[in-house]
Amino acid sequence: MAIDRSKFPPRYRTVAINDDGLESHSYVPGGLDALTSSPENDRPGANPEQFVGLALSTCLNATLEAIEQRRDLPHTSQVHTIVEMARDTRGLQFYVTAQVRIPGVDQATAEAMVDLAERRCPVAKLLSGSDNVRVELVKEFTPVEPVTD
């Protein structure tokens, strides 16, 4: 369902630019300029998978930080997002798993905080319609190993 932009006008606007494809760079005018490359080669540079992971990790943890602040809790939340690329019947797809740790908070409180953050974080809301996206509360982060053939 589309949001009524006249009722909820933008509070911030930016533009992210890539004019030359994957083996080039992406940038925000006056800000970030990142060399880009395919994850399937060894050239230096970031890739879309990493940008998706960074966007979700950063936004979700910023939302958790605001929730911690409202509850007078110290900021201890951490978010690690695992993004995997796989081939499907129509090309490629991503599997995204955001793992959240909140040390020093009991399980029930942490679960409630993650649920609230997932419903409030703009990036999590944007990705929430996909069966390939999960947000999970963990005691320890899963070690991430490279995919080998």
Side-chain angles (χ1 to χ4, degrees):
M1 176 165 70
I3 301 297
D4 181 349
R5 291 173 65 94
S6 63
K7 185 175 179 182
F8 300 102
R11 295 178 52 183
Y12 172 78
R13 180 176 290 126
T14 191
V15 60
I17 300 170
N18 179 295
D19 290 330
D20 299 314
L22 188 54
E23 300 295 332
S24 65
H25 74 116
S26 293
Y27 66 97
V28 175
L32 176 70
D33 191 328
L35 185 65
T36 58
S37 71
S38 170
E40 296 181 324
N41 67 43
D42 59 359
R43 293 185 197 116
N47 56 59
E49 295 79 3
Q50 293 165 333
F51 293 135
V52 167
L54 287 170
L56 183 55
S57 289
T58 303
C59 189
L60 194 56
N61 203 18
T63 305
L64 283 161
E65 184 176 16
I67 293 167
E68 289 167 324
Q69 186 176 24
R70 284 196 181 106
R71 293 176 180 225
D72 292 321
L73 295 170
H75 176 51
T76 62
S77 63
Q78 302 169 311
V79 180
H80 292 195
T81 300
I82 302 165
V83 182
E84 301 167 296
M85 181 178 64
R87 189 163 296 286
D88 66 13
T89 57
R90 290 187 251 159
L92 299 171
Q93 66 177 327
F94 294 159
Y95 302 122
V96 178
T97 305
Q99 296 185 332
V100 179
R101 278 187 73 225
I102 311 177
V105 175
D106 67 83
Q107 183 73 18
T109 300
E111 287 172 3
M113 290 169 63
V114 169
D115 179 62
L116 182 58
E118 194 173 358
R119 288 182 284 121
R120 288 191 175 167
C121 165
V123 175
K125 289 192 291 187
L126 185 67
L127 300 174
S128 68
S130 173
D131 292 335
N132 289 1
V133 178
R134 291 188 333 228
V135 176
E136 57 189 30
L137 181 64
V138 298
K139 298 263 187 229
E140 298 297 328
F141 293 115
T142 302
V144 178
E145 300 294 329
V147 174
T148 57
D149 294 331

